[in-house]
Amino acid sequence: MTPKGLTLVELVVVLAVLGIAAGIAALNVRPFYNPLQDALSRTEGFVKQVRSKAMATTSAYRITLEGNRLKAAYAPTCRSTSFTEDTSLQAEIPAEVTLTFTPQGGVPCFNSRGLLVLQNAGSYSGEPYYRFTDRQGRQRTLRLLLGGGVVRQ
């Protein structure tokens, strides 16, 4: 005699497999991609990574912005005149986002203790920050604290 239907256990197993497959498919769909948030997160992580590298190697590390790419370079101190680029530390900013650093022309540098030193800042007395602007005109700010931390705004 052959059974004519499915048991409850078989139905539960099929539903569980379908649920897992739907969950994986939902995670792979990215219609809610936000380039502004992505740029902010990438830059925050990059700044933290550069600061950690400065402390780990007891070198000074500075961050430069070239187009939509953040780069890091190292030297014995932040006052050194020549820096060597660290090709292992780079971050790409999404093309939909414009990134600027204030003070204009300033260059953030982390010393061997992880403290922030501003190069070429002139008489600027405030906290330096990165300003992110997307194509819709929305803006976000990432402040760099002199103690080495970062704050999103």
Side-chain angles (χ1 to χ4, degrees):
M1 174 154 107
T2 54
K4 302 252 182 203
L6 299 173
T7 66
L8 183 59
V9 172
E10 291 170 332
L11 284 174
V12 168
V13 169
V14 169
L15 288 175
V17 169
L18 289 175
I20 291 171
I24 291 171
L27 291 175
N28 289 330
V29 177
R30 297 186 130 197
F32 302 111
Y33 174 68
N34 184 348
L36 186 63
Q37 187 65 31
D38 184 32
L40 184 67
S41 296
R42 286 183 190 201
T43 304
E44 181 180 16
F46 181 74
V47 169
K48 289 178 179 180
Q49 188 176 17
V50 169
R51 179 177 181 259
S52 295
K53 186 88 176 230
M55 291 186 299
T57 61
T58 63
S59 300
Y61 268 77
R62 74 176 181 188
I63 300 172
T64 55
L65 177 62
E66 295 179 15
N68 66 336
R69 183 179 296 272
L70 290 165
K71 295 184 175 185
Y74 61 92
T77 69
C78 286
R79 294 178 193 223
S80 298
T81 56
S82 67
F83 280 75
T84 305
E85 184 178 345
D86 187 340
T87 55
S88 68
L89 289 174
Q90 293 186 6
E92 186 93 20
I93 304 302
E96 302 89 359
V97 177
T98 303
L99 179 59
T100 57
F101 182 73
T102 300
Q104 206 65 21
V107 178
C109 181
F110 290 102
N111 66 19
S112 60
R113 292 185 174 184
L115 301 175
L116 180 66
V117 177
L118 275 178
Q119 299 175 316
N120 306 327
S123 62
Y124 184 78
S125 62
E127 290 178 333
Y129 61 89
Y130 286 103
R131 170 75 39 93
F132 303 85
T133 308
D134 67 4
R135 292 183 179 160
Q136 287 79 29
R138 295 177 295 198
Q139 293 185 339
R140 297 290 304 265
T141 302
L142 185 68
R143 285 188 311 140
L144 303 179
L145 304 177
L146 298 179
V150 292
V151 177
R152 290 182 182 205
Q153 291 181 324

